[in-house]
Amino acid sequence: MTSDAVLSMEDITKVYPNGIVANKGVNFSVRTGEIHGLVGENGAGKTTLMQILFGLNQADVGKIFFNGKEIKIDSPHAAIAQGIGMVHQHFMLVPSLTVSENLVLGLEPRRGFIFDKSRGIHITQELSKKYNLKVEPDMLVRDLPVGLKQKVEILKALYRGAKILILDEPTAVLTPQEMVELFNELRQLRDEGNTIIFISHKLAEVKALCNRVTVMRAGKSQGVFNVEDVTEEDISRIMVGRDVILRVEKDVAQPKESVLKVNRLTVVNSFNKRVVDDISFSLRRGEILGVAGVEGNGQRELVEAITGFGSYGLGSILIDGEDIKQLSIKEIRDLGCSHIPEDRMSYGCAPTLSVRMNLLSYKHNRREFNRRFFLMHMSTIRDVSTELVKEYQILCTSTEQEVRCMSGGNIQKVIVAREFSDNPKLIVANQPTRGIDVGATEFIRKRLVELRDRGAAVLLVSADLNEVMELSDSFLVMYGGKINAFIEDVSNFNEEKLGQYMLGLKSQDVDEIGRALHD
Amino acid sequence: MNAVFEIVLNPLFAFSVLRVSTPILFAALGALISDKAGVINIALEGIMLISALAGVIFSAISGSAFFGLFMALFFGGLVAFGLGYVSLKLKTDVILAGIAINLIASGGTVFVLFLLTGDKGISSSLASKLLPKIDIPILKSIPILGPILSGHNILTYFAFISVFLVWFLLYRTPLGLRIRAVGENEHAVDSVGISVVKTRFIALIISGVMAGFGGAYMTMGYISWFSRDMTAGRGFIALAAESMGGATPLGSMLSSLLFGFFDALSNSLQLLKIPYEFVSMLPYVATVVGLVIYTTQKTKRMHRMRIKAESKKEVL
Amino acid sequence: RGKTEAGTDDDGVLKIVNLINGTRGDKSFFDSSAAGMDLIEAKYDSAVLTKTIEMSYDQPNWEPTLLDIADQDWDIIIVGTWQMTEMLEEVARDNPDKRFIIYDTEVDYSLDLGNVYSILYSQNEASFVAGALATALTKSNLPLTNPDKLIGFLGGMDIPVINDFLVGYVEGARYVDPDIKIAVSYIGSFDDTAKGKEMALAQYSQGVDIGFNVAGQAGLGQLDAAKDMHRYAIGVDSDQAEFFVQTDKATADLIATSVLKHVDKSLLRAIDMHMEGKAPYGSSEILGFDEEGVGIAKNEFYMAIVPEEIRELVDEIEEKIRSGEIEVSSAFGMDSEAINELRYSISP
Amino acid sequence: MTKAQWRFEFYRTGVVIITAVLLSLLIIVLVSDMPGLAIKLFLTGPLDSLRHFGNLVEMVVPLLFTGLATTVMFTASQFNLGAEGAFFFGAIGAAFIAVNWNLPPVLHPAVAIVWGGIIGSVFCGIPGALKVKWGSSELVSSLMFNYIAFFLGLYLINYLLRDVTAGAMVSFPFANSSKLVKIIPKTRIHTGLFIAVFTVLVMGVFTYRTRWGYRIRVLGTNIEFARYSGINTTWTIVMSQVLGGFLAGMGGSIELLGMYRRFEWQTLPGYGWTGIIVAILAHNNPFYVPLAALFLAYMKIGSDIMSRSTDMPNEFVAIIQGMIIILISASSFLSKQRHKMIVREAIS
Ligand SMILES: Nc1ncnc2c1ncn2[C@@H]1O[C@H](COP(=O)(O)OP(=O)(O)OP(=O)(O)O)[C@@H](O)[C@H]1O
Ligand SMILES: Nc1ncnc2c1ncn2[C@@H]1O[C@H](COP(=O)(O)OP(=O)(O)OP(=O)(O)O)[C@@H](O)[C@H]1O
Ligand SMILES: [Mg+2]
Ligand SMILES: [Mg+2]
């Protein structure tokens, strides 16, 4: 324990009810006036550790010291009282309330019994001015773009007088430009004497922003380092335990006939917003088409329209020449379309069913899995799943294990195994490697390329720029529901320019975008 | 048909609609508050029953109707607290806990009544008290309106005042803000240091107290004794009314009145030549129809919005 | 075990059990039945051992209870209501050495049931008197009546026993005034007092100034409605004014009378006959005014409410029924159509 | 779940049941003047004679059906509480066939039961259809449909099947050919027991071994995943409730044809509500439904027997049942111990 630590956590162990040990004897401490990085692979236990610090989770073993005195943090209330604030990885906002209502929730200004709305608005304006984070107090949170939501989250923590501010992957949803702005604000906060804990997967950011960094691996702390003393490569080696090559070797694509044709597609959501706005492109056999863009610019709705999950108003989507507008999800799947959903827990699996039953999914109707008298062919199902588990190196006790008791990466592998094993014609992969560790990422990316080489058409939607740039043969950039750019040759293209397209600062002209149709 | 109009146009009919709606309105407001906090309170039925008995017993013991009312509310809150304890702390599924409480209430009230009076049917051997009826001075003498609006039990007035109070609570106070927030995203509430469990507890207890008013009204206003299972499904109807009313105070009030209207109608329609079973079915059918109409309108509205938005571009 | 002539045990104690297929506390039918056991105990004291078992309204529990009780060493087993008949017929056949009494219905004696005594009540006759009384009252100019010739009838359910009351009530009312109108409603339940009250209120607000409830516990709602609206009510089965004297005099003050179905007295009468060895097992009896099987309550409230000349009319009608000069129809055997027609004919 | 966790769940259920039994004993001791006898009858009554054992089995049969009905709906995460109405209305359907049709013995009840099932499926299916069509909560509308089933049923009995010679609102007696045969003398256990046991097996296989069961399970755990898997969720949502209604309706028919001579329910019989509890106790697993049904029936029959012979009113079972439901489904009950166990297991 360092003597100048304002806050330290000692020997923290946390076991989740499903038996997962998220933290094992972790020591962690921060000093006043520093930005402290916290890095580690997915599932290393970063969020868990910070949730313990913020009182959202309770450690099973371990102590927390504040200015040398042991304290108990059994609720966020207690943490806030100690001056700890947290900006969460997943937003914790109430969509139907306004920005100012979200901001003052819990510390509401009152006039007698009454909640003083106008004071709330006033407070929001003041705070927004003071920290140079611009927000509209009257806007409903559900109408805000993610970047603004992020700002509201930060203001929320600051309004509660946070001296120690935890930021859990605040940059995952920001564009490069927004990031620069945020970093300046964080540095300013630090210089005013606040402590900031910064969690990120992007080591470059950590290098640029932080003073010190704690590295975690598999629930354990691997030590604290001064940022000047280590390189990005060092950190990633400590994180993963080996050298990592994230480059996937692939040959130049040999595109054949077009499989998917999207023509002037328009989707309007339930809040009456045009989330996909007149999009046209086509995707050919044997190529990977990336879709880049800041989250919330219509990618999800595009994927939903193609996979039959959401309806769309105007335009058409053709798979193999067949219009899918009236088709059900099942019928679209029968055309040979497979789909890796963005959110694996909400769409991709049935958490309380077994691996076997999850691998079955849309294939449960197939003749090979059904016998006479309406019975399913249980032994075939067992054999096929055992095979898949082996082939895709899924880590589970048996194919009878409930999926919810598996790690995120392995759940993703279950989904990938199911979707890839079917010799699909068209693969719609939405964030296929989100939230999974490097090894699994490598595996999935290789598979995608393999499938491409075998003649599948792949639509790759990802918020991870590296992924899009490395895997795609060509890609689209989406902004505000529109295609903002179509990049045919990925090899000589830089991130800076991409950022400008993503932010809508620049856009290609209609002809350039029109090339995406390949006619 | 004429006869139906004759019945409906009689001021006494309107009077009885208000009277019949009162317990349902109380319970519907209770349902509303807990629903806003994200908890389905299916135990309203049982809570009303228990409060109804508590009102009788304690007003008989103390000789004071208001003490009876107080105890009815106390028990309403207490049972709701119990529901909160098992669902929020012990993590019992709240629907199941609700069913269980209804079961306990149904058997338990008879059991207690039996222990106290030796009767399993009705509490008339307890000299319980009634809450007063109120004549409203000027209103009383206005024709038509007077007979409809004046002379109700004090709780009937309070029920309608409660609509406003509940609205005020939910939309104008910090507590209301928290209740609505916890119902929509509990993590948001958690993350700002408000206890989710505590907020829900408070909402549930208020909900129980509202049902307690309904129960007290049943035995100390509506009729003057307790009889077994006397709530006869009013708690469930209240849930339907809240749902039909689109989870708003005003909507809950209107749908409670709608149910009250059909219930009162079913009491009077028997005098016409319609089989009583059909007439008795009327309020329930009306509730289902109301529920469906409400939800259809909602989906239609969304659909219309969608079409409008999609076609806008074409026009441009 | 040897039995004596009258069926008592060696120890000379007559063991009687009364199975109520409901619960006490309805202030009418079942309470009256339970009171019968008290009368018996009061009269015979240690010569009898009595017990009342409430089987509650839980129908599946009735038959097992009856079978259990038949296995125990009771000498006389008493049950009531039509719902128990078919069970009783079987049990009685299987237990020829036991004696059974069933009231308010009769068993099918073609099944050779020499050990069952059935008690029926001419509730239609007592209702006739009530109908006449109600009509006379509504036409009178008592302070709480109005000039409309409209009276009320509030039934528990649209079933024969209840309609038997209705038929008598209607005929009695017409006897006094052929143009009388009667508001008839059924609560649809024998225990929802709140609904009972609502329906009674609906009747009263349509101009009914005296109503008759025949709905067990649910019918008590009518009495409450009478108090609210300040109108008259007629009770049923037990003397319902009696129940309210202590706790709620204001209600009692409005109960003009009750149509009594003296289950209590009829049970005592049956045991009396049993003791004398004269109980007519193997047959049924209809108890009317003469046998004190039915009657109307002439208590202090009746005296207070009903004017002299109407009281005389009531006595006169009672006499005519006793003598057979007036014959009252029964609802038993009438089909739904006929009952409907009757209802429509008097509907306001 | 690991083996240790299963073992823990097993112990936990044991602790819950023991707690409940102790609690009942406590109440008995506090309330009863003869606690010894009351406790003895409560705990051993259902096994002390063949007939009592028969009562137990008779009660289990309808609970198996309503339990399975609710199980299949809850498995699909459809919180339809309409098994009560479907049970009642299915029985009405069966009563029609049993009274009006003329068929050979085995065929007659078979047709009646299937018809009852179909009628029942309509009643549970409508809330399901309303949900998928317009998004109205099936929980709320199924509650309303219970009442609608009740009154509509009474109407049909009253106007179409009513036996005017009977002293209550009951149907004509069933044709002998329609009745389910009693299989054990001195009890009322009937062939419906075989159908019930068979249905349990069928539903178990259906749920875990057929593709329809698979669809229902997937739907129940994650509707989005079901959609994603190409399952027609609309259809499956409705079908799970139609199937639930069918089972409940079948149950009503079998109960009626096995236990009654005519249709004579005047109130909702309550098996649907208990079926919900059965389903919860069985963790929505058809194979556990018999255990849960047996347990609840045991408590009910035990307390009925107790209340017959002692001064304990049997309403108190409701209190105990309620507590058991709460404790058993309380996932955090003993969660500290459970968590300790998990931590121990995980760290070691
Ligand atoms: N509520 C929960 N219940 C059970 N297990 C959980 C829960 N939350 C997290 N876990 C598991 O605990 C482990 C650590 O998760 P945690 O969220 O702390 O990782 P992380 O380092 O923040 O990862 P990421 O980079 O993906 O945010 C993971 O294996 C995860 O699956
Ligand atoms: N009796 C059977 N024997 C073998 N395989 C069968 C049998 N019945 C169905 N299958 C298999 O299941 C597949 C799907 O069957 P089916 O078309 O009946 O399902 P569905 O249309 O999706 O919905 P449902 O099963 O509800 O009819 C069939 O293509 C067939 O492979
Ligand atoms: Mg995290
Ligand atoms: Mg008059």
Side-chain angles (χ1 to χ4, degrees), chain C residues 19 26 33 39 67 73 80 107 110 122 124 156 165 171 200 213 235 255 259 267 280 306 313 329 340:
Chain C
L19 304 182
D26 63 353
S33 168
L39 291 181
L67 289 168
D73 66 341
V107 292
S110 67
S122 42
N124 53 342
F165 282 95
E171 287 184 358
N213 84 76
I255 304 178
V259 169
L267 292 182
V306 184
L313 174 73
S329 322
N340 259 341

Side-chain angles (χ1 to χ4, degrees), chain C residues 86-122:
Chain C
E86 291 179 346
M87 292 172 209
L88 185 71
E89 284 163 2
E90 267 178 36
V91 173
R93 226 174 359 189
D94 295 345
N95 293 276
D97 56 329
K98 294 220 159 70
R99 297 292 155 94
F100 297 88
I101 298 172
I102 185 165
Y103 55 86
D104 206 25
T105 182
E106 62 178 335
V107 292
D108 179 357
Y109 284 102
S110 67
L111 297 174
D112 189 26
L113 297 167
N115 54 344
V116 184
Y117 164 49
S118 309
I119 306 173
L120 292 162
Y121 307 92
S122 42

Side-chain angles (χ1 to χ4, degrees), chain A residues 15 17 60 309 329-330 333 339 345-349 352 357 361-362 364-365 370 374 376 378 418-419, chain D residues 205 208-212 214-215 217-218 221-222 224-225 227-231 339 342-343 346-347:
Chain A
V15 184
D60 294 304
F309 254 78
I329 293 177
K330 179 169 187 261
R333 277 195 171 277
H339 173 198
M345 292 319 271
S346 324
Y347 292 89
C349 68
T352 55
M357 292 295 127
S361 176
Y362 66 94
H364 74 274
N365 267 338
N370 284 279
F374 314 116
M376 290 202 292
M378 298 316 274
R418 182 177 66 217
E419 299 299 320
Chain D
V205 170
Y208 296 113
R209 289 281 182 277
T210 70
R211 55 184 187 279
W212 300 291
Y214 177 77
R215 288 175 200 164
R217 281 190 297 146
V218 171
T221 24
N222 184 350
E224 288 305 336
F225 179 61
R227 246 154 67 73
Y228 165 92
S229 300
I231 292 169
H339 191 69
I342 290 169
V343 171
I347 294 180

